[in-house]
Amino acid sequence: MCEDLSEAALVERIAALEVSKSAAAAEQAELTMALDAARRAREAAAGVPASQRGKGLASEVALARKDSPNRGGRHLGFARALVYEMPHTLAALKAGALSEWRATLIVRESACLSVEDRARLDERMCADQNALEGKGDKRIEADAKAIAYRLDPQAIVDRAVRAPAQRSVWIRPAPDAMTYVTALLPMPQGVAVYAALRRTADTCGDGRGRGQVMADTLVERITGRPADVAVPVAVELVITDETLLGGDPTPGRIPGYGPIPAAVACRLAADAAADARSKATVRRLYRHPTSGALVAMESRARRFPAGMARFIAVRDDTCRTPYCDAPIRHTDHATPHAAGGATSLRNGLGECEACNYAKEAPGWRVRTFCDHQGRHTAEFTTPTGATHHSTAPPLLGDLVPLKASGIEIHLSDLLAA
């Protein structure tokens, strides 16, 4: 038992487990490449075109690792680089001289190099494992960057030229009903944005903190709406009439964000209704009396009608592939329409773009079913026969049905009543 060990023995065991984690990561990389080779060989023998071989494998690896499909692609690329091109880095990972993340940093910084130069970087960085001792993440990254630049300066410049094409914006939940909005921008624009926000904060003397002024200014300049004006909550807030009007403690839910406390949900709705410069509406939906699952509807069209697609987006919240938290981009048929799949809520799935395309690979199968309480479950079967399940979250928990459907009511009228 752990309590029987001395402090020195406990530290020793912790260190040994860290080495084991690194060794396990190295073995995962080797097994991933063995799977890749076996899959491609089988598909080649079956006459699958070369461009289609291995399609969907990254998502399969992600499911096996209980990770998102996006990270599955990274795992596959990481394994390919280690096993086929960077033997010294693989050996250092296997020996515990590198953690998986630090090995990933080395692979990432070498990605723009030719195979020959990548091998040279691998040797200079990791041939002597003792030289890795004591180096943290930043030092590992900086050393790899320096070596890469010496080996091929033009490749580094070319990568910097291409980088602005990757500019984007993300949002993810933060504690206490807050969010992180992250922007990846070219350095000059990013510095200019921050400097402009800071200048505004430096000249503001209304008692708000610097960070508060910068955050409020960002909201105002992007939305064109004063920061003190309540945000419209027409479709973005899912809340029961019992919570809104009867004081029920059942949480509300923001699609794509998750549950928020009942008091916070009511405050958002009330603020939006009370502010004449804002707008708030409530859309009524039926749901199962105990499970909270939404009732079904069906269409004969191949494409999901806008209302049904919105319904599925609210029901599924995020991509329905197990472990994938990406926003929904596609409303897809679990059983393909060409195979007789209905355009219905039961057969419909909200998925991100990558997952939707991944499950079209040969050997993948998806089926959906509902239990006696109306809970919607999707079963994903990979080409190896492994099955993974994903159940849509309850709309708002165990609730009685709402009393109307398909109508939109101004929240201010409800509150006034």
Side-chain angles (χ1 to χ4, degrees):
M1 299 294 290
C2 292
E3 52 267 24
D4 298 330
L5 297 176
S6 67
E7 292 183 20
L10 290 170
V11 170
E12 206 172 291
R13 182 59 180 155
I14 291 171
L17 288 172
E18 193 62 30
V19 172
S20 298
K21 285 164 58 180
S22 296
E27 185 176 358
Q28 278 186 318
E30 293 174 328
L31 293 172
T32 298
M33 283 301 94
L35 173 62
D36 180 69
R39 176 66 51 78
R40 290 177 183 277
R42 178 176 63 78
E43 291 178 342
V48 176
S51 62
Q52 298 297 310
R53 295 172 199 165
K55 185 179 179 182
L57 186 64
S59 293
E60 195 171 351
V61 169
L63 287 172
R65 295 187 60 162
K66 294 181 170 58
D67 219 336
S68 71
N70 180 49
R71 290 190 178 179
R74 297 180 198 173
H75 293 320
L76 192 59
F78 175 69
R80 183 172 290 115
L82 283 185
V83 173
Y84 295 137
E85 300 170 1
M86 306 184 75
H88 295 294
T89 305
L90 177 61
L93 180 62
K94 194 175 295 188
L98 284 174
S99 66
E100 184 176 20
W101 174 242
R102 288 172 187 161
T104 300
L105 291 174
I106 295 173
V107 170
R108 188 180 69 187
E109 294 306 322
S110 68
C112 62
L113 301 177
S114 65
V115 175
E116 295 77 13
D117 282 340
R118 176 176 274 194
R120 295 187 185 98
L121 182 147
D122 173 58
E123 183 177 6
R124 294 183 191 181
M125 280 288 301
C126 301
D128 180 8
Q129 294 181 12
N130 292 328
L132 298 169
E133 187 70 27
K135 291 184 178 180
D137 295 353
K138 288 186 177 180
R139 178 73 182 278
I140 289 287
E141 185 178 15
D143 288 354
K145 281 182 177 178
I147 294 172
Y149 186 77
R150 286 196 296 269
L151 289 170
D152 191 347
Q154 189 60 49
I156 304 301
V157 172
D158 290 343
R159 182 169 68 174
V161 170
R162 293 191 299 269
Q166 306 301 316
R167 62 191 184 279
S168 188
V169 178
W170 301 271
I171 185 170
R172 68 185 192 277
D176 305 321
M178 302 287 280
T179 58
Y180 297 106
V181 178
T182 304
L184 177 64
L185 300 171
M187 184 271 293
Q189 285 90 330
V191 171
V193 168
Y194 186 82
L197 295 175
R198 184 160 183 157
R199 277 195 303 272
T200 301
D202 289 340
T203 58
C204 180
D206 61 4
R208 289 177 293 167
R210 177 186 295 246
Q212 293 173 325
V213 174
M214 292 174 71
D216 291 347
T217 303
L218 179 67
V219 170
E220 291 169 0
R221 292 187 180 179
I222 291 177
T223 66
R225 174 189 302 274
D228 60 347
V229 174
V231 176
V233 294
V235 200
E236 306 308 320
L237 172 63
V238 180
I239 185 173
T240 70
D241 50 358
E242 294 90 348
T243 296
L244 180 62
L245 302 174
D248 189 273
T250 302
R253 182 161 65 85
I254 304 286
Y257 176 89
I260 60 174
V264 174
C266 288
R267 190 187 73 225
L268 289 174
D271 288 349
D275 195 325
R277 298 170 294 176
S278 186
K279 178 187 177 184
T281 57
V282 173
R283 188 180 299 279
R284 301 289 194 109
L285 301 169
Y286 279 124
R287 60 191 185 282
H288 192 278
T290 57
S291 71
L294 299 182
V295 297
M297 64 174 74
E298 188 163 338
S299 169
R300 297 185 180 183
R302 184 184 186 282
R303 290 176 60 87
F304 286 86
M308 187 181 292
R310 181 63 188 171
F311 193 95
I312 290 172
V314 171
R315 180 197 68 192
D316 292 354
D317 198 34
T318 58
C319 177
R320 282 294 297 280
T321 300
Y323 315 114
C324 185
D325 297 323
I328 292 172
R329 295 286 183 247
H330 292 179
T331 306
D332 187 52
H333 295 76
T335 299
H337 189 270
T343 302
S344 65
L345 287 182
R346 175 167 176 166
N347 193 48
L349 288 177
E351 296 197 301
C352 70
E353 186 174 1
C355 288
N356 186 23
Y357 293 144
K359 74 180 186 60
E360 299 300 320
W364 284 78
R365 184 169 62 86
V366 182
R367 72 183 186 97
T368 56
F369 53 90
C370 296
D371 64 13
H372 67 284
Q373 291 189 321
R375 287 183 289 243
H376 186 270
T377 297
E379 180 183 83
F380 294 74
T381 304
T382 70
T384 60
T387 59
H388 303 267
H389 296 86
S390 169
T391 300
L395 177 63
L396 291 168
D398 296 339
L399 305 167
V400 297
L402 287 173
K403 305 170 183 62
S405 178
I407 61 173
E408 194 170 87
I409 305 170
H410 281 283
L411 187 56
S412 53
D413 297 336
L414 284 175
L415 293 177

Coordinates of all heavy atoms in Angstrom, one line a residue, residues 113-148:
L113 N 10.4 20.5 -42.5 CA 11.6 20.1 -43.1 C 11.5 18.9 -44.0 O 10.5 18.2 -44.0 CB 12.6 19.7 -42.0 CG 13.0 20.8 -40.9 CD1 13.9 20.2 -39.9 CD2 13.6 22.0 -41.6
S114 N 12.5 18.7 -44.9 CA 12.5 17.5 -45.7 C 12.8 16.3 -44.8 O 13.2 16.5 -43.7 CB 13.6 17.7 -46.8 OG 14.9 17.7 -46.1
V115 N 12.6 15.1 -45.4 CA 12.8 13.9 -44.6 C 14.2 13.8 -44.2 O 14.5 13.5 -43.0 CB 12.4 12.7 -45.4 CG1 12.8 11.4 -44.7 CG2 10.9 12.7 -45.8
E116 N 15.2 14.2 -45.0 CA 16.6 14.2 -44.7 C 16.9 15.1 -43.6 O 17.6 14.8 -42.6 CB 17.4 14.5 -45.9 CG 17.3 13.5 -47.1 CD 16.1 13.6 -47.9 OE1 15.3 14.6 -47.7 OE2 15.8 12.7 -48.6
D117 N 16.4 16.4 -43.7 CA 16.7 17.4 -42.6 C 16.0 17.0 -41.3 O 16.5 17.3 -40.2 CB 16.3 18.8 -43.1 CG 17.3 19.4 -44.0 OD1 18.4 18.9 -44.0 OD2 16.9 20.3 -44.8
R118 N 14.8 16.4 -41.4 CA 14.1 16.0 -40.2 C 15.0 14.9 -39.5 O 15.1 14.9 -38.2 CB 12.8 15.4 -40.5 CG 12.0 14.8 -39.3 CD 10.6 14.4 -39.7 NE 9.7 15.5 -39.6 CZ 8.4 15.3 -39.6 NH1 7.8 14.1 -39.7 NH2 7.5 16.4 -39.5
A119 N 15.6 14.0 -40.2 CA 16.5 13.0 -39.6 C 17.7 13.6 -38.9 O 18.1 13.2 -37.9 CB 16.9 12.0 -40.7
R120 N 18.2 14.7 -39.6 CA 19.3 15.4 -38.9 C 18.9 16.1 -37.6 O 19.7 16.1 -36.6 CB 19.9 16.4 -39.9 CG 20.5 15.8 -41.2 CD 21.2 16.9 -42.0 NE 21.7 16.3 -43.3 CZ 21.1 16.4 -44.4 NH1 19.9 17.0 -44.5 NH2 21.6 15.8 -45.5
L121 N 17.8 16.7 -37.6 CA 17.3 17.4 -36.4 C 17.0 16.3 -35.3 O 17.4 16.5 -34.2 CB 16.0 18.1 -36.7 CG 15.3 18.9 -35.5 CD1 14.6 20.1 -36.0 CD2 14.3 18.0 -34.8
D122 N 16.5 15.2 -35.7 CA 16.2 14.1 -34.8 C 17.5 13.7 -34.1 O 17.6 13.5 -32.9 CB 15.6 12.9 -35.6 CG 15.4 11.7 -34.7 OD1 14.8 11.7 -33.7 OD2 16.0 10.6 -35.1
E123 N 18.6 13.5 -34.9 CA 19.9 13.1 -34.4 C 20.5 14.1 -33.4 O 21.0 13.8 -32.4 CB 20.8 12.7 -35.5 CG 22.2 12.2 -35.1 CD 23.1 11.8 -36.2 OE1 22.7 12.1 -37.4 OE2 24.1 11.2 -35.9
R124 N 20.4 15.4 -33.9 CA 21.0 16.4 -33.1 C 20.3 16.6 -31.7 O 20.9 17.0 -30.7 CB 21.1 17.7 -33.8 CG 22.0 17.7 -35.1 CD 22.1 19.0 -35.8 NE 22.7 18.9 -37.0 CZ 23.0 20.0 -37.9 NH1 22.5 21.2 -37.5 NH2 23.5 19.8 -39.0
M125 N 19.0 16.5 -31.8 CA 18.2 16.7 -30.6 C 18.2 15.6 -29.6 O 18.3 15.8 -28.4 CB 16.7 17.0 -30.9 CG 16.4 18.4 -31.4 SD 16.4 19.7 -30.1 CE 15.2 19.1 -29.0
C126 N 18.2 14.3 -30.1 CA 17.9 13.2 -29.2 C 18.8 12.0 -29.3 O 18.6 11.0 -28.6 CB 16.5 12.7 -29.6 SG 15.2 13.9 -29.4
A127 N 19.9 12.1 -30.1 CA 20.8 11.0 -30.1 C 21.5 10.8 -28.8 O 21.7 9.7 -28.3 CB 21.9 11.2 -31.2
D128 N 21.8 11.9 -28.1 CA 22.3 11.9 -26.8 C 21.2 12.2 -25.8 O 20.9 13.3 -25.6 CB 23.5 12.9 -26.7 CG 24.1 12.9 -25.3 OD1 23.7 12.1 -24.4 OD2 24.9 13.9 -25.0
Q129 N 20.7 11.1 -25.2 CA 19.5 11.3 -24.3 C 19.9 12.1 -23.1 O 19.0 12.8 -22.5 CB 18.9 10.0 -24.0 CG 18.3 9.3 -25.2 CD 17.7 7.9 -24.8 OE1 17.5 7.6 -23.6 NE2 17.3 7.1 -25.8
N130 N 21.1 12.0 -22.7 CA 21.6 12.8 -21.5 C 21.4 14.3 -21.7 O 21.2 15.0 -20.7 CB 23.0 12.4 -21.1 CG 23.2 11.0 -20.6 OD1 22.3 10.5 -20.0 ND2 24.3 10.4 -21.0
A131 N 21.5 14.7 -22.9 CA 21.4 16.2 -23.2 C 20.0 16.7 -23.0 O 19.8 17.9 -23.0 CB 21.9 16.4 -24.7
L132 N 19.0 15.8 -23.0 CA 17.7 16.2 -22.8 C 17.3 16.4 -21.3 O 16.3 17.0 -21.0 CB 16.7 15.1 -23.3 CG 16.8 14.9 -24.8 CD1 16.0 13.6 -25.2 CD2 16.3 16.1 -25.6
E133 N 18.2 15.9 -20.4 CA 17.9 16.0 -19.0 C 17.8 17.5 -18.5 O 18.6 18.4 -18.9 CB 19.1 15.4 -18.2 CG 18.9 15.3 -16.7 CD 17.8 14.3 -16.4 OE1 17.6 13.3 -17.1 OE2 17.2 14.4 -15.3
G134 N 16.7 17.8 -17.8 CA 16.5 19.1 -17.3 C 15.9 20.1 -18.2 O 15.6 21.2 -17.8
K135 N 15.6 19.7 -19.4 CA 15.0 20.7 -20.4 C 13.5 20.7 -20.3 O 12.9 19.6 -20.4 CB 15.4 20.4 -21.8 CG 16.9 20.6 -22.1 CD 17.2 20.3 -23.6 CE 18.7 20.6 -23.9 NZ 19.0 20.4 -25.3
G136 N 12.9 21.9 -20.1 CA 11.5 22.0 -20.1 C 10.9 22.2 -21.4 O 11.6 22.1 -22.5
D137 N 9.6 22.4 -21.5 CA 8.9 22.5 -22.8 C 9.4 23.6 -23.6 O 9.7 23.4 -24.8 CB 7.4 22.7 -22.5 CG 6.7 21.6 -21.8 OD1 7.3 20.5 -21.7 OD2 5.5 21.7 -21.4
K138 N 9.6 24.8 -23.0 CA 10.1 25.9 -23.8 C 11.5 25.7 -24.3 O 11.8 26.1 -25.5 CB 10.0 27.2 -23.0 CG 8.6 27.7 -22.7 CD 8.6 29.0 -22.0 CE 7.2 29.6 -21.8 NZ 7.2 30.9 -21.1
R139 N 12.3 25.1 -23.5 CA 13.7 24.9 -24.0 C 13.7 23.8 -25.1 O 14.5 24.0 -26.1 CB 14.5 24.4 -22.8 CG 16.0 24.0 -23.1 CD 16.8 25.3 -23.4 NE 18.2 24.9 -23.8 CZ 19.1 24.6 -22.9 NH1 18.8 24.6 -21.6 NH2 20.3 24.3 -23.3
I140 N 13.0 22.8 -25.0 CA 12.9 21.8 -26.0 C 12.4 22.4 -27.3 O 12.9 22.2 -28.4 CB 11.9 20.6 -25.6 CG1 12.6 19.8 -24.5 CG2 11.6 19.8 -26.8 CD1 13.7 18.9 -24.9
E141 N 11.3 23.2 -27.2 CA 10.8 23.9 -28.4 C 11.8 24.8 -29.0 O 11.9 24.8 -30.3 CB 9.5 24.6 -28.0 CG 8.7 25.2 -29.2 CD 7.4 25.9 -28.8 OE1 7.2 26.1 -27.6 OE2 6.6 26.2 -29.7
A142 N 12.4 25.6 -28.2 CA 13.4 26.6 -28.7 C 14.6 25.9 -29.4 O 15.0 26.3 -30.5 CB 13.9 27.5 -27.6
D143 N 15.1 24.8 -28.8 CA 16.2 24.1 -29.4 C 15.8 23.5 -30.8 O 16.6 23.6 -31.7 CB 16.7 23.0 -28.5 CG 17.4 23.6 -27.3 OD1 17.7 24.8 -27.2 OD2 17.8 22.8 -26.4
A144 N 14.6 22.9 -30.8 CA 14.2 22.3 -32.1 C 14.0 23.4 -33.2 O 14.4 23.2 -34.3 CB 12.9 21.6 -31.9
K145 N 13.5 24.5 -32.8 CA 13.3 25.6 -33.7 C 14.6 26.1 -34.3 O 14.8 26.4 -35.5 CB 12.6 26.8 -33.1 CG 11.1 26.7 -33.0 CD 10.5 27.9 -32.3 CE 8.9 27.8 -32.3 NZ 8.3 29.0 -31.6
A146 N 15.6 26.3 -33.4 CA 16.9 26.7 -33.8 C 17.6 25.8 -34.7 O 18.2 26.2 -35.7 CB 17.8 27.0 -32.5
I147 N 17.5 24.5 -34.4 CA 18.1 23.5 -35.3 C 17.4 23.5 -36.7 O 18.1 23.4 -37.7 CB 18.1 22.1 -34.7 CG1 19.0 22.1 -33.4 CG2 18.5 21.0 -35.7 CD1 18.8 20.8 -32.6
A148 N 16.1 23.6 -36.6 CA 15.4 23.6 -37.9 C 15.7 24.8 -38.8 O 15.9 24.6 -40.0 CB 13.9 23.6 -37.6

